[in-house]
Amino acid sequence: MDFKLEVAKLIEAELDNALENVDTFIEIPPDTKMGDFAFPCFRLSKALRKSPNVIAEELATKILAKKSVLVENVVALSGYLNIFVNKKLFVETILKEVVLKKEKFGSSEMGKNRNIAIDYSSPNIAKPFHIGHLRSTVIGNALYNMYNFLGYHSVGINYLGDWGTQFGKLIVAYKKWGNKEEIEKSGIQELTKIYVKFHEEAEKDDSLNDEARAFFMKMQEGDEEALSLWKWFYGISMNEFERIYKILDISFDNYNGESFYNDKMGRVVNELKQKNLLIESDGAQIVDLEAFNMPPCLIIRRDGGTLYATRDIAAALYRKDTYDFEKCVYLTALDQNLHFSQFFKVIELMGYEWAKNLVHVPFGLVSLETGKLSTRKGNVVLMEEILTEAIAKTRDIIEEKNSGLPNKDEVARQVGIGAIKFNDLYNGRIKDVVFSWERMLNFEGETGPYVQYAHARACSILRKSGVENFDMEIDYSLLDDESSVAVCKLFSQFAERVVDATNRHEPSVVARFSVDLAQAFNKFYYDNAILNGEEALKNARLVLVYAVKNVLDTSLGLLGIARPEQM
């Protein structure tokens, strides 16, 4: 039973079609003394030609007269209709559903037989996987999990930056300053070093950029030497990327990068020509977007080379043909908004109705407390260094707080990595994130370790209880205290929060829910003796703890965060 929906039906029955979708206007009051649900009557004033106060009072009288088993009381206050639900029925309904559905609680089949393609992470080959790649990786992974939870079939695509002029630059850098043995030994670190040197030297000698473009043209034309070097750089990079993804416990369904579409761009160019969309401009080939208040979309450079937009259009066509997606979601930084607007518009102009289902999900930047990052200037913090340090710092905290903990190394890994992910996901994705160790690893704040600790606490209580089967007869009327009801209220909101997070591509909604639930559970824990009470009361409270453990487990799992059972 969805109590919010049922309350909406009670209200709608008294409105004579004066307002549709009443459930979308129902609010959760900030104070439980104001009711469990509240309906603002202001929007009905015009249709009913009455003041909100009068409407609220009339609705309260009518609903109370019906004597619904759902409702304990209805109060009109300042134009709001405040509804107090039957606490016993509410708690019983919610807890039974959590216990019955376990890890499926909150899930749905709304996306059944529909595919969602998600393009995320997408680091550049031959460049270090640094902290700046974190947001796309963890936000994309969370969205992948949430879409699956709602019945969709997610396709995770790591669109590697493995093509383009930067490889011409790297080839020039290698031929001028590179050392094969040093690169074999140091991998991406050495590739980054010579890439940075290229940019330093190119500022003094612009002809280096011409050499780089020429080498990229050779790559496109299939030059054996150029492609051999490119494949070597690719292999070195993938070894590092796969190691980091393993630490993050994140995987993908395919790694089709930009190079995969090298032989698929002809279709784009030919189709644009056939549809009279491609025009020449100063020696280059463009699609004019002036009518849409955008700069032209560059398809072919003067030297015949293709660009990001050409490859992205080819990729979108391929993905639609291959996956028949309902939506194709792209996770990149906010500063790429124009690029996506341009090539989305080109696909629309090509006559593809599904262009409206291409969705750019932008996010803010991540930075250290010392400032921004730049690969070209060598000012990067490697992701592997961050992950290693997070695990080490967490290990130190465990030694200080609980040195006898079993599997300390594994728990340190789960909590350290979880702290990094949660710090990113808890923030609204459009906001810039500053990376702070002190805040991130705080076990008392609104952090990953705080939520993980609440989960571990619930597991500890259940272990100590010795109870294994929670499908038992419970007197739900015993769970009528404020903190027990508050936990159940959060359970009742979980499914709606997941749908909202997925629809808005905003994992912070689920992250904040997990903090809310952890806080509500900790209040319940401090307010109530769980294992020492009378048998019926103990069992009722244990079922609530079991439900908390399950929902925290699910919400953290959606975020891609491990759930240690001991901390």
Side-chain angles (χ1 to χ4, degrees):
M1 184 188 298
D2 184 333
F3 274 75
K4 181 179 177 182
L5 194 58
E6 294 302 320
V7 165
K9 289 177 182 177
L10 289 175
I11 297 170
E12 282 178 354
E14 308 302 333
L15 291 181
D16 295 326
N17 298 317
L19 182 66
E20 294 181 349
N21 302 317
V22 168
D23 62 300
T24 61
F25 302 109
I26 289 179
E27 303 170 4
I28 307 293
D31 186 345
T32 54
K33 293 175 183 175
M34 298 168 67
D36 300 302
F37 298 103
F39 174 68
C41 297
F42 307 96
R43 64 181 57 251
L44 291 168
S45 288
K46 188 174 181 181
L48 300 181
R49 298 183 180 181
K50 297 176 184 177
S51 74
N53 289 355
V54 170
I55 295 169
E57 288 166 4
E58 289 180 353
L59 283 173
T61 301
K62 291 176 180 178
I63 292 172
L64 282 171
K66 293 284 182 70
K67 295 184 178 179
S68 168
V69 69
L70 292 172
V71 175
E72 282 183 354
N73 196 15
V74 185
V75 176
L77 182 65
S78 303
Y80 278 85
L81 187 69
N82 296 330
I83 299 101
F84 297 80
V85 300
N86 180 324
K87 296 291 188 295
K88 178 181 179 299
L89 181 61
F90 178 75
V91 169
E92 180 176 356
T93 303
I94 295 298
L95 283 182
K96 279 185 173 179
E97 187 178 0
V98 179
V99 172
L100 176 67
K101 293 187 175 179
K102 298 182 176 65
E103 71 278 0
K104 294 290 186 183
F105 177 74
S107 67
S108 79
E109 292 296 312
M110 62 185 288
K112 190 174 182 180
N113 298 324
R114 290 185 279 174
N115 298 328
I116 304 289
I118 309 177
D119 177 331
Y120 59 107
S121 193
S122 309
N124 289 320
I125 292 294
K127 292 184 183 179
F129 196 114
H130 58 71
I131 193 175
H133 296 119
L134 180 66
R135 301 216 72 191
S136 175
T137 304
V138 299
I139 294 172
N141 182 63
L143 294 178
Y144 181 96
N145 295 334
M146 290 192 291
Y147 270 113
N148 281 343
F149 192 65
L150 297 181
Y152 293 89
H153 173 244
S154 299
V155 180
I157 301 168
N158 196 334
Y159 185 56
L160 296 168
D162 62 358
W163 204 246
T165 308
Q166 70 265 31
F167 291 99
K169 294 177 180 180
L170 195 57
I171 290 171
V172 172
Y174 172 69
K175 291 175 76 69
K176 289 185 179 294
W177 309 292
N179 179 288
K180 183 176 183 180
E181 289 73 25
E182 193 59 40
I183 290 173
E184 292 285 2
K185 175 185 171 185
S186 303
I188 276 189
Q189 286 74 20
E190 186 63 20
L191 291 177
T192 303
K193 182 178 172 183
I194 63 173
Y195 184 77
V196 169
K197 184 169 180 62
F198 175 91
H199 283 278
E200 290 171 350
E201 296 299 323
E203 287 181 5
K204 296 178 273 185
D205 180 4
D206 190 56
S207 68
L208 289 171
N209 288 313
D210 294 330
E211 288 186 52
R213 284 189 283 270
F215 260 110
F216 177 53
M217 282 301 298
K218 287 183 178 181
M219 285 172 58
Q220 290 186 298
E221 292 163 359
D223 179 81
E224 189 174 330
E225 181 196 17
L227 288 179
S228 176
L229 287 170
W230 170 76
K231 287 176 183 176
W232 181 41
F233 300 151
Y234 185 98
I236 290 170
S237 300
M238 284 307 299
N239 286 338
E240 172 161 321
F241 295 165
E242 287 172 356
R243 186 172 67 252
I244 292 168
Y245 289 133
K246 186 175 181 180
I247 297 171
L248 287 169
D249 194 23
I250 289 175
S251 59
F252 301 86
D253 297 305
N254 78 55
Y255 285 86
N256 289 340
E258 293 181 65
S259 65
F260 179 79
Y261 300 98
N262 192 40
D263 63 353
K264 298 171 179 60
M265 289 182 282
R267 170 189 173 184
V268 174
V269 174
N270 291 336
E271 202 169 320
L272 289 171
K273 286 179 179 176
Q274 289 168 7
K275 293 176 178 177
N276 297 317
L277 292 169
L278 203 62
I279 60 175
E280 185 174 329
S281 174
D282 198 20
Q285 299 288 315
I286 66 164
V287 176
D288 185 5
L289 299 177
E290 186 178 0
F292 309 99
N293 297 314
M294 284 187 276
C297 184
L298 191 55
I299 302 297
I300 302 175
R301 291 197 314 248
R302 290 183 212 173
D303 62 6
T306 54
L307 293 107
Y308 290 122
T310 327
R311 294 188 283 278
D312 279 340
I313 294 167
L317 296 175
Y318 174 85
R319 291 170 187 175
K320 184 61 179 178
D321 290 344
T322 305
Y323 305 118
D324 190 25
F325 55 73
E326 174 159 300
K327 274 192 287 194
C328 186
V329 178
Y330 298 81
L331 274 292
T332 74
L334 181 62
D335 59 10
Q336 293 190 39
N337 267 351
L338 176 60
H339 167 73
F340 284 93
S341 296
Q342 286 177 303
F343 91 78
F344 288 178
K345 178 58 70 174
V346 171
I347 293 173
E348 179 188 328
L349 293 174
M350 291 169 79
Y352 292 106
E353 179 268 341
W354 50 264
K356 67 180 186 296
N357 299 325
L358 301 173
V359 184
H360 179 219
V361 178
F363 52 79
L365 300 176
V366 60
S367 63
L368 300 173
E369 291 170 301
T370 53
K372 291 185 178 180
L373 309 163
S374 169
T375 309
R376 292 188 177 192
K377 296 179 180 177
N379 176 29
V380 297
V381 177
L382 301 182
M383 196 68 236
E384 191 165 13
E385 291 177 359
I386 289 287
L387 299 176
T388 302
E389 189 168 352
I391 295 168
K393 285 180 179 291
T394 307
R395 184 71 157 73
D396 291 342
I397 294 170
I398 290 171
E399 283 292 352
E400 179 187 337
K401 294 180 177 288
N402 188 8
S403 60
L405 178 70
N407 302 315
K408 282 186 281 194
D409 290 339
E410 176 59 15
V411 174
R413 186 192 68 79
Q414 292 178 329
V415 176
I417 303 303
I420 289 174
K421 291 182 177 181
F422 196 91
N423 178 67
D424 195 293
L425 295 170
Y426 185 76
N427 291 278
R429 63 172 164 78
I430 211 67
K431 294 181 180 177
D432 291 344
V433 175
V434 177
F435 200 87
S436 166
W437 286 118
E438 184 178 354
R439 182 176 64 248
M440 191 169 58
L441 293 173
N442 187 346
F443 280 66
E444 302 299 327
E446 296 173 350
T447 64
Y450 176 79
V451 179
Q452 287 174 313
Y453 189 74
H455 174 267
R457 168 174 279 164
C459 291
S460 175
I461 294 168
L462 298 174
R463 272 195 310 274
K464 290 175 182 176
S465 75
V467 177
E468 295 183 1
N469 179 17
F470 293 89
D471 186 16
M472 50 190 170
E473 287 298 318
I474 295 296
D475 183 353
Y476 292 95
S477 65
L478 298 173
L479 297 172
D480 61 350
D481 61 286
E482 185 178 328
S483 57
S484 297
V485 174
V487 170
C488 292
K489 278 186 180 179
L490 284 168
F491 292 157
S492 72
Q493 297 169 31
F494 181 52
E496 189 175 346
R497 297 268 191 108
V498 175
V499 171
D500 180 44
T502 308
N503 287 342
R504 295 199 288 122
H505 301 115
E506 187 60 89
S508 65
V509 174
V510 173
R512 290 172 185 271
F513 170 86
S514 70
V515 169
D516 292 344
L517 182 54
Q519 290 173 338
F521 171 61
N522 285 333
K523 185 176 189 308
F524 163 81
Y525 174 80
Y526 286 113
D527 286 352
N528 297 287
I530 299 171
L531 297 177
N532 300 326
E534 180 268 328
E535 190 72 9
L537 181 58
K538 181 179 81 169
N539 287 343
R541 287 174 176 168
L542 280 174
V543 166
L544 190 142
V545 173
Y546 176 72
V548 167
K549 182 253 182 192
N550 282 342
V551 179
L552 281 179
D553 191 282
T554 301
S555 56
L556 285 172
L558 290 174
L559 300 173
I561 293 172
R563 288 82 71 199
E565 297 196 354
Q566 288 181 271
M567 282 176 65

